[in-house]
């Protein structure tokens, strides 16, 4: 588990070596007159360079305004949660042919997913076919993403229709045969006084009458997801769409990064991953004045999408863990918002992401959040940046929000 923080520790050690070397050099330079002259010059130049940096750090506005919040001490990773290498038995499919297949659905043996270049694709045999494009080209850069679109959650509705949540463009119903896409909810729609800025996952009732989806933020877009995680405000919601009337309403509010979503079989309750809080919440009695309760608390990782398992439980994907024993950077920062602000004054989101240790974890949970079994890939060597686990015909198809492939794990091997 400590290897997950190797990159971070190496950077600290390198900085410390440089500091020690400078101190030793300055101490030795005291012994001669020329050395003292050089030292004065060195310190003067260093001061001139350092002052602007200090001014930048002290007075530059941070892009985030984080809140302090409390997480419980991470649970020990033992018993059902004990580390293993089972996820490394997965094979990579469609490698370098599909980018960032966040969510996966199937109609028969045909798999469907949304990709980072704004397409809805179907995967048949060893080939990728484009079903639809929700946005417009060009695609591929951060600046293009809001107009290109970023399909995330995908589900199969009545009569083999696909329902797709695009982070920017809205909720769509897509005909997988013709590619016709009908927008049901527009991205940016203002509901209860706040805009829907980051649509994430969705689920649909069996009759197709209601669609539930997560609005991860009213402030941040998907391309700034790490800002959202670090800011950790109670800005997220779960929304309900009535497909007949077109009305959109709020069914869950004040969530810290609501992410994956799953209707329970009775369709009267819905589960949602509250990623920042490392837990799964449940909204009961959707059609009545029900309340929220906790389904799984204090998980050893940060949950993403939730999907049903053939055993009557739930598959939960986690792309980062809270190692215990070990060090969890996100836990450490949760009550130190000033450090978060400082970090984002100096580093870009991509730079910060490199310091987040990769550790892929798949868990099957039963009611009450009871762990049944887990599959691990420390350091994400085979399956990395995982976002969803979709079970089909005895195998797990593992989606990723970042990697250029789908991973497949044969359950008979584990």
């Amino acid at each position: 588990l400590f290897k997950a923080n190797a990159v971070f520790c190496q950077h600290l050690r390198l900085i410390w070596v440089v500091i020690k070397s400078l101190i030793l050099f300055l101490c030795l330079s005291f012994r001669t007159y020329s050395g003292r002259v050089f030292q004065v010059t060195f310190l003067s130049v260093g001061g001139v360079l350092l002052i602007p940096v200090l001014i930048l750090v002290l007075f530059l506005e941070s892009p985030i305004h984080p809140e302090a919040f409390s997480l419980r001490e991470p649970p020990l990773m033992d018993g059902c949660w004990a580390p293993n290498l089972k996820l490394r038995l997965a094979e990579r499919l469609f490698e370098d042919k599909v980018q960032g297949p966040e969510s996966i659905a199937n109609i028969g043996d045909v798999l469907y997913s949304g990709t980072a270049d704004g397409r809805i694709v179907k995967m048949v045999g060893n080939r990728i076919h484009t079903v639809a494009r929700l946005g417009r080209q060009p695609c591929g850069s951060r600046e293009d993403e809001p107009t290109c679109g970023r399909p995330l959650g995908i589900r199969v509705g009545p009569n083999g229709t696909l329902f797709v949540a695009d982070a920017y463009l809205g909720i769509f119903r897509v005909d997988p045969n013709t590619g016709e896409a009908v927008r049901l909810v527009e991205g940016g729609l203002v509901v209860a006084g706040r805009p829907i800025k980051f649509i994430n996952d969705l689920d649909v009732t069996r009759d197709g009458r209601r669609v539930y989806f997560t609005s991860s933020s009213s402030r941040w877009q998907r391309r700034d997801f790490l800002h959202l995680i670090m800011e950790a405000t109670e800005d997220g919601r779960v929304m309900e769409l009535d497909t007949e009337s077109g009305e959109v309403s709020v069914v869950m509010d004040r969530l810290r990064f609501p992410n994956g979503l799953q209707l329970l079989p009775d369709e009267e309750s819905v589960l949602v991953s509250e990623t920042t809080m490392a837990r799964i919440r449940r909204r009961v009695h959707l059609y009545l004045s029900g309340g929220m309760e906790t389904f799984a608390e204090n998980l050893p990782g940060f949950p993403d999408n939730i999907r049903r398992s053939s055993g009557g439980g739930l598959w939960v994907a986690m792309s980062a863990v809270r190692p215990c024993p070990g060090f969890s950077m996100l836990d450490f920062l949760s009550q130190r918002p000033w450090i978060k602000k400082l970090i984002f004054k100096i580093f870009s989101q991509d730079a910060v992401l490199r310091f987040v240790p990769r550790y892929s974890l798949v868990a099957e949970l039963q009611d009450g959040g009871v762990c049944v079994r887990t599959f691990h890939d420390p350091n994400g060597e085979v399956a990395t940046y995982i976002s969803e686990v979709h079970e089909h015909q005895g195998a797990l198809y593992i989606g990723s929000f970042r990697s250029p492939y789908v991973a497949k794990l044969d359950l008979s091997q584990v």
Side-chain angles (χ1 to χ4, degrees), residues 317-335:
M318 309 180 202
S319 64
V321 298
R322 307 163 63 211
C324 184
F327 172 75
S328 170
M329 182 174 69
L330 293 179
D331 280 68
F332 173 77
L333 293 174
S334 64
Q335 297 188 47

Side-chain angles (χ1 to χ4, degrees), residues 15 48 57 62 92 105 114 266 274 281 285-286 308 380 411:
I15 292 170
V48 169
V57 170
S62 175
R92 292 180 176 182
D266 61 7
E274 195 173 10
R281 305 298 298 280
H285 306 307
L286 285 167
R308 293 178 187 170
L411 288 173

Side-chain angles (χ1 to χ4, degrees), residues 60-359:
L60 185 66
E61 181 70 20
S62 175
I64 64 171
H65 304 285
E67 291 183 358
F69 64 98
S70 296
L71 289 169
R72 289 167 50 189
E73 184 73 18
L76 285 172
M77 294 187 77
D78 58 9
C80 180
W81 297 106
N84 58 59
L85 302 177
K86 293 181 179 180
L87 201 51
R88 289 186 183 171
L89 296 175
E91 60 174 319
R92 292 180 176 182
L93 307 179
F94 313 106
E95 192 160 11
D96 297 324
K97 296 180 180 179
V98 57
Q99 182 65 43
E102 159 100 4
S103 179
I104 300 167
N106 74 281
I107 300 176
D109 289 331
V110 179
L111 301 178
Y112 293 86
S113 185
T115 62
D117 59 359
R119 296 179 298 150
I120 308 301
V121 299
K122 64 179 179 180
M123 296 166 271
V124 184
N126 294 319
R127 303 188 66 182
I128 303 289
H129 304 272
T130 299
V131 173
R133 183 179 290 279
L134 303 179
R136 64 177 187 269
Q137 294 179 306
C139 298
S141 72
R142 169 187 167 82
E143 290 71 26
D144 296 331
E145 196 167 286
T147 52
C148 170
R150 181 57 171 104
L152 297 177
I154 186 169
R155 299 280 188 164
V156 178
N159 303 317
T161 302
L162 297 175
F163 285 78
V164 181
D166 187 286
Y168 301 91
L169 304 179
I171 302 294
F172 290 82
R173 183 169 52 218
V174 179
D175 186 324
N177 298 312
T178 66
E180 180 186 7
V182 177
R183 179 154 36 198
L184 304 177
V185 177
E186 187 172 356
L189 178 70
V190 176
V191 179
R194 287 152 53 196
I196 301 173
K197 295 289 287 290
F198 179 0
I199 298 173
N200 204 322
D201 195 20
L202 82 169
D203 201 359
V204 57
T205 55
R206 284 184 289 271
D207 61 7
R209 172 68 187 273
R210 290 180 172 83
V211 177
Y212 294 90
F213 63 96
T214 46
S215 170
S216 294
S217 178
S218 299
R219 169 171 160 78
W220 296 107
Q221 295 181 319
R222 194 220 72 92
R223 56 182 174 173
D224 295 312
F225 73 92
L226 198 56
H227 289 73
L228 170 60
I229 293 173
M230 289 297 186
E231 199 165 62
T233 54
E234 295 180 327
D235 187 38
R237 300 179 288 179
V238 173
M239 320 296 288
E240 178 190 82
L241 163 68
D242 185 320
T243 58
E244 293 188 0
S245 68
E247 180 182 358
V248 179
S249 56
V250 180
V251 296
M252 297 175 76
D253 201 354
R254 300 191 64 183
L255 299 170
R256 299 183 196 268
F257 195 4
N259 199 332
L261 182 145
Q262 176 64 55
L263 278 168
L264 292 180
D266 61 7
E267 297 190 345
E268 293 184 1
S269 302
V270 65
L271 299 176
V272 59
S273 295
E274 195 173 10
T275 299
T276 303
M277 298 301 295
R279 67 185 177 189
I280 299 173
R281 305 298 298 280
R282 173 165 49 197
R283 167 67 154 83
V284 296
H285 306 307
L286 285 167
Y287 308 125
L288 303 173
S289 55
M292 284 196 298
E293 60 186 30
T294 299
F295 174 83
E297 183 70 77
N298 198 34
L299 294 169
F302 298 95
D304 201 321
N305 285 358
I306 311 169
R307 295 296 185 264
R308 293 178 187 170
S309 74
S310 60
L314 298 161
W315 292 114
V316 181
M318 309 180 202
S319 64
V321 298
R322 307 163 63 211
C324 184
F327 172 75
S328 170
M329 182 174 69
L330 293 179
D331 280 68
F332 173 77
L333 293 174
S334 64
Q335 297 188 47
R336 296 169 177 85
W338 65 273
I339 298 181
K340 293 181 183 180
K341 293 176 72 172
L342 182 62
I343 288 172
F344 278 93
K345 285 183 180 183
I346 300 172
F347 300 105
S348 68
Q349 180 176 243
D350 288 340
V352 174
L353 192 60
R354 294 190 186 99
F355 286 99
V356 179
R358 288 185 293 179
Y359 191 116

Side-chain angles (χ1 to χ4, degrees), residues 361-378:
L361 172 61
V362 170
E364 185 179 13
L365 305 181
Q366 288 183 337
D367 195 23
V370 177
C371 179
V372 178
R373 52 180 169 170
T374 59
F375 310 130
H376 300 239
D377 183 359

